[in-house]
Amino acid sequence: MKEIMAIVRMKKTGATKKALVAAGVAGFTAVKVLGRGNLVTDPQTIEECKEKLLSMGMDEFSEAEDTEKMVNSFLDGSRFFPRRLFTILAHDEDVPRIIEAVANANRTEYGIGDGTIFVLPVFDAVRVRTGEAGDAAIW
Amino acid sequence: MLLIRTIVRPEKKDEVLAELSTAGFNAATMVDVVGRGKQKGIKIGGMVYDEIPKTLILMVVPEDAKDTVIKMILSIAKTGTEGTFGDGKIFVSPVDEVYTISKGTQGL
């Protein structure tokens, strides 16, 4: 029995839910969380991201200096971004399939910030309705 | 790999996270939660408050970094010299596998 914790983009909640149903896993719990990832130190990746963000952020009302300041604060790694934390309980043999489904649904062209998947061991689970425990309680 | 779940006072979270970030543990997830501890909530007059707001911080760190992170959280999240009820808890659980979605690889 394993617990899969997947941190994904807010916008990808729907895609993740669809992917889970397609993988044959209907049950999950999701929480809105704030998170940040490992610091990206590769200057080329940061430069690319910065250009993309600057081109998105400029309009006739915003000052170039302010926009750049804002974009820099996005990239220095200290800011927390809204994400969705999915918790899925699964049988051992289904874990690779679920990870594959979640990862494929969440990969974007932005790269950084797509999220992380953690797999944790679970000792027991009990279904409240029937009282059955162990593997029978998952689905 | 270990998952460190820390429950801290909301007013301490910024300090804890900033300190961890400068020590090289930048990645973290936080959720606002409510809870009570073994003090059974707080009693003020006739009112009992047993849903006290706290912040839950989730971090996955390599096994050898566990002691550093825990020591750091303990030193910052404690209030007063002796510590006070309501300062929080740290739970450590094992993590079998970690995948980074963007790279599609295993590992932090």
Side-chain angles (χ1 to χ4, degrees):
Chain A
M1 219 184 309
K2 293 268 191 279
E3 180 187 347
I4 302 171
M5 283 170 61
I7 301 167
V8 305
R9 290 178 194 274
M10 279 293 206
K11 267 191 171 172
K12 288 286 179 183
T13 308
T16 308
K17 284 195 283 188
K18 265 186 208 146
L20 285 175
V21 170
V25 191
F28 67 88
T29 312
V31 192
K32 282 181 194 170
V33 297
L34 292 171
R36 64 184 179 193
N38 284 332
L39 206 57
V40 179
T41 43
D42 178 25
Q44 202 198 332
T45 323
I46 294 179
E47 201 55 43
E48 274 172 30
C49 258
K50 193 172 170 177
E51 262 169 47
K52 218 179 275 174
L53 285 171
L54 277 175
S55 66
M56 281 196 284
M58 280 308 286
D59 55 31
E60 70 259 45
F61 305 112
S62 51
E63 305 267 341
E65 201 183 315
D66 290 349
T67 316
E68 194 166 348
K69 217 188 217 171
M70 183 111 167
V71 167
N72 281 335
S73 84
F74 276 127
L75 295 171
D76 68 3
S78 59
R79 194 182 265 256
F80 277 81
F81 296 102
R83 288 288 184 272
R84 195 70 75 130
L85 173 66
F86 277 80
T87 308
I88 307 147
L89 214 58
H91 299 292
D92 288 354
E93 65 270 20
D94 294 327
V95 170
R97 197 156 53 87
I98 298 169
I99 289 172
E100 191 67 33
V102 175
N104 284 340
N106 282 287
R107 208 164 287 131
T108 65
E109 78 266 30
Y110 306 119
I112 305 163
D114 281 353
T116 320
I117 303 172
F118 304 127
V119 183
L120 284 75
V122 172
F123 295 114
D124 204 0
V126 178
R127 193 192 302 279
V128 174
R129 174 166 53 88
T130 54
E132 55 197 349
D135 278 334
I138 296 183
W139 65 70
Chain B
M1 232 87 71
L2 294 170
L3 170 67
I4 300 183
R5 278 181 252 234
T6 317
I7 299 170
V8 294
R9 293 180 189 275
E11 65 264 29
K12 284 280 183 187
K13 78 176 177 212
D14 285 340
E15 217 180 311
V16 170
L17 288 164
E19 197 68 22
L20 284 167
S21 178
T22 47
F25 305 99
N26 196 58
T29 307
M30 59 180 180
V31 202
D32 292 330
V33 294
V34 292
R36 66 177 184 202
K38 65 174 161 198
Q39 210 190 7
K40 301 171 189 163
I42 311 170
K43 203 170 174 189
I44 300 171
M47 276 294 284
V48 178
Y49 299 92
D50 63 355
E51 290 187 4
I52 302 158
K54 299 278 170 210
T55 300
L56 173 66
I57 301 171
L58 308 169
M59 297 184 87
V60 175
V61 298
E63 254 139 74
D64 51 3
K66 183 186 99 171
D67 291 339
T68 328
V69 172
I70 290 179
K71 208 178 276 174
M72 203 172 278
I73 296 170
L74 285 178
S75 66
I76 303 163
K78 196 152 116 177
T79 55
T81 47
E82 294 292 303
T84 328
F85 272 116
D87 282 349
K89 283 267 191 317
I90 302 176
F91 305 113
V92 182
S93 15
V95 175
D96 290 349
E97 297 159 33
V98 179
Y99 297 87
T100 306
I101 292 174
S102 53
K103 287 185 229 145
T105 54
Q106 203 165 342
L108 278 174

